[in-house]
Amino acid sequence: MTISAALLAAALAVSPSDRMAMADRLFNRGEHAAARKEYLALKGASGVDAEELGYRLVSSASAVGDKAAVRAEGAAFLAAHPAGRHSDRVRLLRALSGTNAEKASELKLLDRDGVAADIRAAALYRMAEATSDSSLYERCFKTDPKGPLAGHAKFRHAYALVGDADPVRRRQGDAELMDLVYGADETLARHALDLVAVHCFHEKRYGECSALLWRYLKKYPGAEGERKITRLLAESELMDGKYASALTLCADESDAELLYVKTVASQRLGNGSEAARLARKYLEEFPAGAARAEVELVIARQELDEAIAGGDPAKILPAAKRCAALAKTGAERLRLAWAYERAGEAENAEAEYAAVARDFPTADVAADALYRRAMSLLRRGKWSAAEVSLAEALASGKLVKERVSPALYWRGMAAHRLGHVEEACGFLRQALEGGGLSIDERREARLLLADEAFNAGRRDEAAAAYASLVRDGALDRMGAAKTLAVGRILSGDEARACARALVASSEAEWRQAGYALLGDIETAATNLTAAAYAYGKCLDQPCTTEAAAPVAVRLGLHYVREGNAADAEKVLERAVKLNANDNEARAMAYLGLARAALLRDDTEGAKRYATVIDTLFENTKAAAEAKEILK
């Protein structure tokens, strides 16, 4: 016989207070229906506290799920005891037995100062459930931080936060979940650890996700959902680039997701043949698997790698097309554009690069695609289109650091070719300041800047720039004409370097110009013997250029100064012929011949040459000395 049956059988022999105590014992043991029968039997009995009995009637009705009784008896209790010691708890039970609208309105009455913390917290928790207002969960665990609902409220609040659009609030959700992870409630700790790890994965914080999941497996071995955790950990390690670690988790090739991770990790580690084997196994065993497309991509990439290693453009392009079709990513599309270039289909490559930039406008690949398109256009001499593409790549702000300076350099070169000299110089200066250019690119940029300074009349700036370039070995980047022009505005060793570069030319015309320049440099340095040697070599060249005419005059006058009349007359006679259109130079040649005649004591010859000067060239520098000779 149960205690309840005994009580009913001896009801008339048991005092109301003892009966109340026994009913409480039943309730506390979980025999809620039996306890409720006893409470109902005590209604109207003397010697029983009416308020206590009324509260128990509401509690027992709630315990057995009789919502109508809770509502009715709760209303009766509150009418009789509106400010009693159990009134707020009865209000809570009555509200929870109502409709959602009744809950929302009645629970609000308990959200006030003076209500016990546990009751107020429970009201806030249930209001949050009824209204989906997650802020009420936060108020719940802050109202009663050590109460029975605090952990659950924090979990639900964190769950709402990690799905928020605001990254700050998502981080707050992570923090609240981590509080639970290190809390005393092991069940909540496990669920919180699971949830925060999943959230990190979705946010692509794979390193954090992996650390949390390793903790989960260590702390809860054999827990429900361990396989799911292992799958997520393997994928997280894969996404974090920890391919070897991912492989250690994928021993079970019968699991579709783990087999997929093992396939991709093997490929990333460079084991293409193993990756291809695993990929084919996946397709055989899981033909409708969720990762079918990704696995087919592994095979396509292996075929592309083999085609590239074989160097056969006819195989590379089809393989690249398959990869791009399967992956549909910017990276694979870039490889397809590169494959078009490799196959010699420059226009198709440029179109694909442009499509990548258009289809992935906010991704880093967009800037890379624009840069590569510009390089292809430059190789085809499409300077204007290349300049536009480079401008777009730089404006994106997403070019990798190593390409910013080259992009500025080529934009400057394109602008220069298009005649926008000032704009070009601005880009070239930026390129030089940023670093990252090859030696040849730096020299070319500096040459153009030096040319701009020279053409703008800033001769000192230009001379300094050219001298620096010559010292840095840039002469091999200059053509012969540029070398001659630079040598003429420089002096000293830098000018000599220009002259020596010319005299080493395979073409006699440039050797002649180089020796002429070298003679002028040595003359300026008063190295007259060296100058005479250079002038002589100039005239010895098997050609006659404009450089020879002034050199013949200078060398002939040098021989006169040395007292070498025979060589002087031979060279100066040639000088007369070479300077047929230059009266000043021809007059100086005749003057040299007059002096040479005097060296030989041939006064008549000297007078004849002086007479020619006085008659034909009276307005030249040589005329005054010719008159002296005639006197």
Side-chain angles (χ1 to χ4, degrees):
M1 182 180 292
T2 65
I3 293 176
S4 177
L7 283 173
L8 291 171
L12 297 177
V14 179
S15 69
S17 60
D18 285 342
R19 195 168 186 179
M20 178 89 118
M22 290 304 295
D24 288 347
R25 182 74 60 85
L26 288 169
F27 189 88
N28 291 336
R29 280 186 358 201
E31 298 182 40
H32 300 134
R36 179 163 176 73
K37 289 179 181 179
E38 297 302 312
Y39 291 140
L40 287 169
L42 287 169
K43 288 181 73 173
S46 60
V48 176
D49 186 321
E51 183 178 352
E52 291 295 330
L53 180 59
Y55 169 64
R56 284 165 172 75
L57 286 169
V58 176
S59 296
S60 61
S62 176
V64 298
D66 190 345
K67 293 184 178 182
V70 174
R71 297 290 295 174
E73 291 173 3
F77 179 92
L78 293 172
H81 313 286
R85 56 186 173 276
H86 297 300
S87 298
D88 287 338
R89 201 165 299 277
V90 168
R91 288 188 178 92
L92 175 64
L93 293 173
R94 187 172 186 274
L96 295 178
S97 294
T99 64
N100 280 341
E102 289 169 335
K103 286 179 186 177
S105 62
E106 294 175 19
L107 289 171
K108 284 181 181 179
L109 301 176
L110 296 170
D111 182 17
R112 55 183 171 80
D113 294 338
V115 176
D118 63 326
I119 296 174
R120 188 176 185 181
L124 288 165
Y125 188 91
R126 301 307 177 187
M127 274 198 290
E129 286 184 324
T131 62
S132 299
D133 183 353
S134 63
S135 67
L136 295 173
Y137 286 124
E138 182 178 26
R139 292 184 57 208
C140 170
F141 67 74
K142 287 184 176 179
T143 297
D144 190 17
K146 294 185 178 180
L149 293 173
H152 296 281
K154 180 171 281 190
F155 183 87
R156 291 196 174 195
H157 183 249
Y159 185 88
L161 285 178
V162 294
D164 198 279
D166 184 351
V168 175
R169 288 176 61 79
R170 293 201 299 273
R171 282 287 187 179
Q172 181 186 342
D174 286 345
E176 290 181 5
L177 287 170
M178 292 307 297
D179 286 343
L180 295 172
V181 167
Y182 293 103
D185 189 323
E186 282 298 317
T187 300
L188 274 176
R190 183 164 62 86
H191 289 309
L193 185 55
D194 186 352
L195 178 57
V196 72
V198 170
H199 178 237
C200 286
F201 184 87
H202 289 158
E203 292 237 310
K204 300 182 179 180
R205 290 156 34 208
Y206 301 116
E208 293 178 56
C209 175
S210 293
L212 293 168
L213 293 177
W214 281 118
R215 174 185 171 86
Y216 187 103
L217 293 177
K218 181 178 180 181
K219 191 169 183 180
Y220 307 110
E224 181 183 357
E226 183 178 18
R227 174 54 66 92
K228 182 201 79 171
I229 294 298
T230 301
R231 291 191 191 107
L232 185 62
L233 176 55
E235 192 166 354
S236 183
E237 295 283 70
L238 176 70
M239 299 303 291
D240 199 34
K242 298 174 182 174
Y243 308 127
S245 177
L247 282 179
T248 64
L249 297 160
C250 301
D252 184 4
E253 293 184 7
S254 66
D255 185 290
E257 191 166 345
L258 292 178
L259 181 56
Y260 158 70
V261 171
K262 189 173 184 179
T263 301
V264 177
S266 296
Q267 186 178 64
R268 300 282 173 80
L269 287 170
N271 194 345
S273 58
E274 173 67 0
R277 179 191 73 79
L278 293 167
R280 293 186 179 93
K281 180 176 182 179
Y282 183 100
L283 294 175
E284 289 172 4
E285 298 187 7
F286 308 102
R292 180 181 178 87
E294 290 88 341
V295 170
E296 288 179 340
L297 178 60
V298 169
I299 297 174
R301 281 176 172 162
Q302 176 65 13
E303 291 174 350
L304 176 56
D305 290 341
E306 290 173 356
I308 292 172
D312 185 353
K315 293 181 179 179
I316 291 173
L317 186 55
K321 286 181 178 179
R322 284 194 294 275
C323 288
L326 286 166
K328 297 182 175 64
T329 63
E332 291 298 344
R333 296 272 298 279
L334 276 180
R335 287 226 291 180
L336 173 57
W338 168 83
Y340 275 124
E341 278 198 88
R342 182 71 181 271
E345 299 182 26
E347 292 185 4
N348 284 337
E350 291 157 14
E352 188 63 27
Y353 284 134
V356 171
R358 182 186 64 246
D359 296 342
F360 304 91
T362 60
D364 293 349
V365 292
D368 194 19
L370 290 167
Y371 178 85
R372 294 189 187 196
R373 177 174 180 268
M375 294 300 101
S376 177
L377 289 165
L378 288 170
R379 284 190 286 273
R380 296 200 302 125
K382 306 290 185 179
W383 297 97
S384 182
E387 200 274 336
V388 171
S389 194
L390 288 168
E392 292 175 355
L394 289 164
S396 73
K398 291 181 177 292
L399 262 184
V400 294
K401 184 179 179 181
E402 295 76 14
R403 283 187 169 166
V404 172
S405 289
L408 286 165
Y409 168 80
W410 285 111
R411 190 178 181 190
M413 296 300 290
H416 190 273
R417 287 293 295 266
L418 294 169
H420 311 310
V421 176
E422 185 175 349
E423 185 180 6
C425 289
F427 295 135
L428 293 174
R429 289 189 185 95
Q430 290 181 61
L432 290 169
E433 290 168 3
L437 298 181
S438 68
I439 292 176
D440 286 346
E441 287 171 343
R442 290 188 65 82
R443 287 174 176 173
E444 195 66 30
R446 291 165 63 195
L447 272 172
L448 287 177
L449 290 173
D451 290 346
E452 187 274 332
F454 182 79
N455 294 333
R458 303 192 303 276
R459 293 183 65 86
D460 290 345
E461 177 185 336
Y466 286 133
S468 176
L469 282 161
V470 170
R471 287 193 297 272
D472 291 345
L475 284 172
D476 58 352
R477 300 290 298 172
M478 300 183 194
K482 172 61 72 63
T483 301
L484 179 59
V486 169
R488 285 172 174 169
I489 67 171
L490 297 181
S491 60
D493 291 339
E494 291 81 11
R496 287 188 182 88
C498 293
R500 292 189 184 110
L502 290 169
V503 300
S505 172
S506 60
E507 298 181 34
E509 290 81 0
W510 291 116
R511 291 200 301 273
Q512 187 167 74
Y515 280 120
L517 176 61
L518 184 59
D520 291 345
I521 295 166
E522 298 299 355
T523 297
T526 66
N527 298 325
L528 301 182
T529 301
Y533 171 81
Y535 287 147
K537 294 290 289 183
C538 172
L539 295 177
D540 287 344
Q541 298 305 310
C543 63
T544 301
T545 67
E546 61 181 14
V551 164
V553 175
R554 291 166 195 162
L555 180 58
L557 294 178
H558 171 77
Y559 285 146
V560 170
R561 287 192 293 272
E562 283 190 334
N564 184 348
D567 287 340
E569 288 176 339
K570 181 179 177 181
V571 173
L572 288 169
E573 285 173 2
R574 183 178 177 186
V576 170
K577 296 176 182 178
L578 290 174
N579 289 280
N581 297 318
D582 186 340
N583 290 344
E584 190 74 46
R586 206 157 69 257
M588 290 302 298
Y590 283 131
L591 181 60
L593 287 167
R595 293 174 181 170
L598 290 175
L599 288 174
R600 291 188 294 100
D601 294 327
D602 181 4
T603 55
E604 287 302 318
K607 285 175 64 177
R608 284 195 295 273
Y609 284 123
T611 300
V612 171
I613 297 170
D614 186 52
T615 304
L616 298 179
F617 308 107
E618 57 181 344
N619 295 320
T620 64
K621 294 179 180 179
E625 189 172 341
K627 290 183 182 298
E628 290 299 318
I629 292 174
L630 289 173
K631 289 181 181 179

